[in-house]
Amino acid sequence: MSSSCPSHLVDASGVRHHAYSRKQKSLGLLCTNFVSLYNRESVESISLDDAARRLGVERRRIYDIVNILAKVGLLSKNGKNACSWIGFSGIPKALERLEEEARRGISCHKGIYAKDDSDDESLDQYVDDGDERLSQTVSTTLSTAPFDKKISAKINRRAKSLGTLTENFIKLFLTSDGDTISLDAAARLLLGATTDASYMRTKVRRLYDIANVLSSIFLIEKTQLEARKPAFRWLGAKGKMEPSDAVTVAISPSPKKLNKRTFGTELTNVGLKRNKLNSAEGKKPMDVKMRSENLQEHSFIPQQQSASKNGYSFGPFHPVGVMKQTANSEVKSGKGIQQWENLAASFRPMYQNQALSELFSHYLEAWDSWYAEATKGRNVQQQFNKLVKKELL
DNA sequence: CTCTCCCGCCAGCTT
DNA sequence: AAGCTGGCGGGAGAG
């Protein structure tokens, strides 16, 4: 085990030193690695089990990522322990769908997450949550009341899911004129006027989860509206941002800043738990060990697959500073690819791992192609946007 | 201190 | 019954 962990973390006697780093274990980074692992042509079906093993994480984490990525069209879930990889080309379509739904007012911003643990009373607000089967069930059930508690529970559960939250979070952007939404506003809009602070806290946690993942695939970036007011900026594919909209946070990209929630030095998120655990602790020591070993065998260095479509990206909440300087109008208006490349180049050294740099350049290509696709012929209904805009910020 | 968000428990669902 | 999913919130690292 120790062999697959950074050596400075564990000494010869197996005692862990104080080197736990959250940054190396972030969902975003994991997502990045996930994408780098599977974003290639030869990949069709993904076993979640396998993914967990190869990435060296609990399967629980894979679920999180898969649920989010499925909503942006990178992959689709199909059945137990499996999903199929679609790739970046799937993003435009998924965004279109979300936008369309948003326009039709489905799962709108009016607090669809309003707390509702008890009854069926607010069921109708869940009816159209974008899941056809579920919607159908609900519709029929509604018309044939009395309403089944089980279905109600199911709907509640679904309505609170990471996936649904992801969808609605994205819809916020897609239906807004501005492209930056404060965390506050997002929470308010997504959760409705709940007074329950703990419920709010929970959902904000989820928002962070989602934001990390979306950041890692460059759909959004984290930014700041003002001091201590975190916000997210849509980088997607709308290409309608004016330079003047840009939230200007001129940050000189000092190395320190750049390291903020960005790159792990490892390709994997393997292994170490928070330091409250010592080597003897943990429920599944064997499991962890096995993962580590597996990682060594499997290290998903991109052998020499067809050198084109494969990709890689940097981590979550990535280059905040640099992004500020490049990711405004140019990026959005379609001539940004060049900028992305420059950006990428400037970050390349952050990867100690050579395989990663390699993957990284592949990723650029993938990005390039999906971006081109995404910006092509895309018409955002400004009208509707204006309506919604008022709600934001 | 507050913000961020990893982590894994465990309820509910599926096979 | 066993295994799979994923909501949830405690609590720790980062700022």
Side-chain angles (χ1 to χ4, degrees):
Chain A
M1 162 155 195
S2 57
S3 55
S4 75
C5 298
S7 54
H8 59 282
L9 295 180
V10 182
D11 71 14
S13 57
V15 174
R16 187 173 288 102
H17 293 299
H18 199 70
Y20 172 86
S21 164
R22 308 182 96 201
K23 294 175 186 176
Q24 294 183 6
K25 314 206 79 187
S26 76
L27 248 202
L29 182 61
L30 177 61
C31 176
T32 290
N33 292 338
F34 183 92
V35 169
S36 77
L37 221 201
Y38 292 110
N39 186 37
R40 58 197 60 180
E41 252 141 41
S42 53
V43 172
E44 282 175 14
S45 176
I46 299 172
S47 150
L48 303 188
D49 230 5
D50 186 51
R53 205 174 336 108
R54 295 171 75 175
L55 292 165
V57 295
E58 297 290 329
R59 200 195 320 201
R60 177 71 196 79
R61 300 282 75 77
I62 301 295
Y63 292 136
D64 286 337
I65 288 179
V66 163
N67 281 327
I68 295 171
L69 294 188
K71 295 303 181 182
V72 298
L74 267 178
L75 50 77
S76 69
K77 294 196 281 184
N78 43 5
K80 203 169 107 179
N81 191 32
C83 61
S84 31
W85 182 252
I86 296 172
F88 284 82
S89 59
I91 291 182
K93 199 174 298 171
L95 294 185
E96 249 164 56
R97 181 182 73 86
L98 290 175
E99 196 172 325
E100 170 64 21
E101 281 181 20
R103 186 175 41 227
R104 301 205 324 259
I106 293 175
S107 291
C108 67
H109 47 279
K110 262 274 197 313
I112 75 154
Y113 286 95
K115 182 163 187 170
D116 175 11
D117 283 327
S118 48
D119 300 305
D120 308 336
E121 62 190 1
S122 57
L123 258 183
D124 43 346
Q125 68 186 313
Y126 301 125
V127 167
D128 289 316
D129 78 341
D131 182 303
E132 299 78 11
R133 227 179 6 180
L134 182 63
S135 298
Q136 222 166 17
T137 314
V138 177
S139 311
T140 39
T141 316
L142 280 175
S143 56
T144 58
F147 197 77
D148 186 330
K149 288 277 186 203
K150 270 203 171 156
I151 296 182
S152 165
K154 198 169 185 174
I155 290 169
N156 270 327
R157 192 174 163 84
R158 175 69 62 91
K160 295 174 177 180
S161 73
L162 236 207
T164 308
L165 190 53
T166 300
E167 285 187 323
N168 288 297
F169 182 58
I170 291 176
K171 285 174 186 175
L172 249 32
F173 290 106
L174 295 180
T175 56
S176 154
D177 258 354
D179 55 10
T180 303
I181 298 177
S182 71
L183 179 64
D184 265 3
R188 266 202 320 276
L189 290 164
L190 292 170
L191 307 183
T194 177
T195 51
D196 188 330
S198 89
Y199 181 72
M200 192 74 152
R201 233 177 295 126
T202 294
K203 285 309 169 190
V204 167
R205 287 187 185 109
R206 297 293 84 79
L207 237 31
Y208 281 120
D209 292 342
I210 293 168
N212 273 324
V213 170
L214 296 185
S215 292
S216 77
I217 56 172
F218 304 109
L219 241 32
I220 64 169
E221 70 166 326
K222 191 176 184 209
T223 174
Q224 225 171 34
L225 285 175
E226 51 194 79
R228 303 193 71 81
K229 188 160 188 194
F232 305 108
R233 189 215 307 265
W234 182 249
L235 297 177
K238 279 160 75 170
K240 67 188 178 86
M241 177 176 163
E242 311 302 330
S244 54
D245 297 350
V247 179
T248 39
V249 184
I251 299 174
S252 59
S254 70
K256 193 170 161 206
K257 287 280 181 196
L258 293 180
N259 276 331
K260 188 185 178 189
R261 287 218 165 268
T262 35
F263 314 99
T265 52
E266 287 194 300
L267 199 47
T268 81
N269 288 29
V270 84
L272 298 187
K273 308 201 159 132
R274 295 193 224 187
N275 56 10
K276 66 180 171 183
L277 296 180
N278 62 31
S279 52
E281 208 174 330
K283 288 196 321 178
K284 305 170 188 170
M286 293 305 289
D287 207 14
V288 171
K289 182 163 185 231
M290 197 187 80
R291 287 192 178 116
S292 308
E293 288 164 358
N294 261 310
L295 265 169
Q296 295 188 300
E297 302 172 338
H298 287 292
S299 62
F300 46 91
I301 313 243
Q303 292 86 4
Q304 49 237 37
Q305 358 81 20
S306 57
S308 59
K309 291 283 180 183
N310 315 317
Y312 191 69
S313 77
F314 26 79
F317 288 173
H318 50 80
V320 175
V322 170
M323 199 68 94
K324 292 296 179 307
Q325 298 165 347
T326 57
N328 45 36
S329 54
E330 299 110 14
V331 168
K332 284 204 152 195
S333 63
K335 43 178 184 166
I337 310 247
Q338 206 60 41
Q339 294 291 341
W340 282 96
E341 300 215 24
N342 296 339
L343 181 63
S346 62
F347 281 100
R348 218 174 295 244
M350 300 299 288
Y351 290 103
Q352 323 271 310
N353 185 324
Q354 195 176 348
L356 280 190
S357 350
E358 209 172 307
L359 279 167
F360 180 80
S361 56
H362 292 319
Y363 197 108
L364 283 173
E365 288 179 53
W367 166 264
D368 195 300
S369 73
W370 101 254
Y371 187 93
E373 165 108 28
T375 47
K376 166 177 77 185
R378 196 169 166 69
N379 261 330
V380 189
Q381 353 52 22
Q382 305 278 353
Q383 238 67 359
F384 179 76
N385 290 348
K386 296 223 161 85
L387 270 177
V388 183
K389 186 185 181 183
K390 283 184 286 188
E391 296 265 4
L392 304 174
L393 297 174

